[in-house]
Amino acid sequence: MSEHASRADDTDVSVVARSFVVRALLEGDTTTGGPEARWHGFVTDTQTGLRSAWRRPSEVARFMDRLLVTEPARIAAQPAGARFALGGLAVAGPALTDVVTDMLAVLGERLPTPVPAVPAIPDPNVTLERVAEKLVGLGNQRGTDPTGPLGARTLRGGRLDARVRFQVWAGTAPAADAAMQTLHTTLLDDADELRAAGFLKLAAAGTTLAEPVDTIPAWRKATSFDVLYEYRYVDEDDAASLIARIPVTTDPEASGSPAREVGTVVDELVRWDEEVAPTLVVHGPAAVSRVAALTFVPGPPLGGTVTFRRTSGSGAPVTSFGDLDAFLAATSGDTPTHTDADVTLAPADAFTALGPAAPGPTLGDWDTDGTPDAYTGVDRRLDAPVRLAHPTDRFEIAYAPPPGPATGLDQTAVVYLRVNPP
């Protein structure tokens, strides 16, 4: 948003204010601030809703510099009449200029077809008389929507309380009246479609008489409608990742005391990246009926191997299978033929064996390329569950990097694995 101010010499200057929201999160041992504790978070431009994840403070400055350098140049290149902006709520979402444009476009589709005339007369149009932004629910949140096998997107929205003006033209006054009647009839007939498109209210507020415009020459007639328009959009809710583990610290006396206890709360979900790739372990008694994964691999296919393993703890020899189908057929069901078995696959083959790829959520910017990371999901429901009847039974999915210094995945990438997702 910009405001005009005056200097002492009465020279007008343009003062541009731009706001950014920075969210910082400390992950790891938050009491000592040791090397295992890491700051990360998000920076959001409140004007455009653009958001970027950061792992180093310098990335915040880079994001802001990119917007502050490129955006003023883009605005300056626009004609003055095209600079339309709405003040209001600083909620990350679509630009309100685009929302207004979309709203008018839907209404414009209902305008009557122009009638050819000699000389030519203007086409019918719809314009905005006034507009104010309204909230939807709490924080503009409308609900959630699952994204593939894992994760969920936040469904958000907003409302515009507006008045629009339709204007029709014709060669005679009766023709202008007929065009206006056609417009009203179309809006009534399309009431269900308009409501589905977000028009919660569309009420006529007044119609003018047909009036001649001698300079064209033609007849013009206008009508105004009060509109309550709800727009919808998907927000990843500032999430840089799924929650795979929660560090918990109990310190009943004082910070750093001998009674201090540190633990980690985990579920049947693990995250693999280039820093660490812990093994997913399911302990008996339990049953594995579904295996799902989310992958973000911006580079070449992952190296290393992925091993699916089922063990009984009896020390029996392990039978190795050549593919996942054979492994699951041997280890699943009420009476499995093998209780100690495994299968080792290349990562790409392992994910392919879990099912066809489907679009997943957009989370963070792990590869720091300035764009949100789009994940791919795979999900396999087992024909029969792998039953772990005893406490010593285990079902594991492990990653082993190729030979070298890698401690996790062999490149910048992220994989989430989960059994029995909700």
Side-chain angles (χ1 to χ4, degrees):
M1 299 176 63
S2 64
E3 300 177 355
H4 287 282
S6 296
R7 294 176 178 167
D9 58 0
D10 294 332
T11 302
D12 287 339
V13 295
S14 180
V15 179
V16 179
R18 193 71 171 268
S19 298
F20 295 85
V21 176
V22 179
R23 176 178 294 181
L25 306 171
L26 181 60
E27 179 181 359
D29 189 347
T30 61
T31 58
T32 63
E36 65 275 13
R38 298 184 304 169
W39 284 101
H40 64 95
F42 312 90
V43 54
T44 303
D45 177 15
T46 60
Q47 178 172 317
T48 64
L50 293 176
R51 180 185 301 120
S52 177
W54 60 268
R55 287 185 288 169
R56 293 175 291 274
S58 60
E59 296 172 359
V60 177
R62 185 174 62 186
F63 173 79
M64 296 172 64
D65 181 72
R66 176 167 58 88
L67 292 184
L68 295 176
V69 170
T70 59
E71 191 71 7
R74 183 187 66 82
I75 294 176
Q78 293 180 346
R83 301 177 194 174
F84 171 78
L86 280 174
L89 305 172
V91 176
L96 292 180
T97 304
D98 296 335
V99 174
V100 171
T101 300
D102 293 342
M103 179 185 72
L104 295 179
V106 174
L107 295 175
E109 295 173 356
R110 273 74 186 175
L111 289 168
T113 303
V115 178
V118 179
I121 59 176
D123 291 337
N125 60 24
V126 56
T127 56
L128 189 68
E129 291 188 5
R130 60 168 176 80
V131 63
E133 189 180 8
K134 301 292 184 181
L135 281 172
V136 172
L138 295 176
N140 279 352
Q141 183 167 337
R142 300 175 53 248
T144 58
D145 180 39
T147 54
L150 299 175
R153 301 178 298 180
T154 299
L155 302 180
R156 295 189 183 274
R159 290 181 179 178
L160 298 182
D161 183 6
R163 175 169 289 185
V164 297
R165 180 182 178 89
F166 295 92
Q167 192 168 242
V168 297
W169 296 81
T172 64
D177 291 336
M180 183 60 67
Q181 182 174 347
T182 299
L183 171 63
H184 279 264
T185 301
T186 301
L187 293 175
L188 289 173
D189 291 342
D190 293 352
D192 291 340
E193 294 181 16
L194 289 170
R195 186 169 186 84
F199 290 87
L200 306 182
K201 172 186 172 183
L202 190 63
T207 302
T208 66
L209 296 174
E211 58 179 347
V213 181
D214 297 333
T215 56
I216 294 183
W219 288 78
R220 175 178 60 192
K221 191 165 186 174
T223 183
S224 297
F225 275 76
D226 289 329
V227 173
L228 182 61
Y229 176 70
E230 181 175 290
Y231 59 94
R232 296 115 183 186
Y233 62 96
V234 174
D235 182 22
E236 301 300 338
D237 208 18
D238 287 350
S241 68
L242 302 181
I243 299 176
R245 58 186 182 274
I246 303 175
V248 177
T249 301
T250 302
D251 200 347
E253 297 181 6
S255 177
S257 72
R260 179 171 177 267
E261 298 179 358
V262 178
T264 302
V265 178
V266 297
D267 194 5
E268 295 173 341
L269 169 72
V270 296
R271 170 190 163 111
W272 296 346
D273 54 42
E274 66 272 20
E275 298 175 359
V276 63
T279 299
L280 174 61
V281 182
V282 181
H283 301 264
V288 177
S289 59
R290 186 177 169 196
V291 181
L294 286 177
T295 64
F296 170 69
V297 185
L302 292 173
T305 59
V306 174
T307 299
F308 296 79
R309 183 181 298 112
R310 198 268 193 221
T311 60
S312 64
S314 64
V318 175
T319 302
S320 296
F321 290 87
D323 58 69
L324 186 60
D325 290 343
F327 166 79
L328 293 175
T331 59
S332 60
D334 295 330
T335 56
T337 59
H338 294 75
T339 56
D340 293 87
D342 65 17
V343 57
T344 299
L345 304 168
D349 295 336
F351 301 138
T352 300
L354 291 179
T362 300
L363 300 170
D365 184 20
W366 187 251
D367 58 348
T368 64
D369 64 350
T371 59
D373 300 337
Y375 282 73
T376 299
V378 291
D379 188 8
R380 178 160 183 168
R381 297 178 182 270
L382 308 188
D383 296 333
V386 177
R387 300 193 181 279
L388 309 174
H390 307 289
T392 56
D393 290 338
R394 300 284 188 275
F395 179 85
E396 301 177 355
I397 305 177
Y399 173 80
T407 58
L409 301 178
D410 66 334
Q411 58 180 282
T412 300
V414 178
V415 174
Y416 293 96
L417 280 169
R418 182 164 188 173
V419 298
N420 304 331

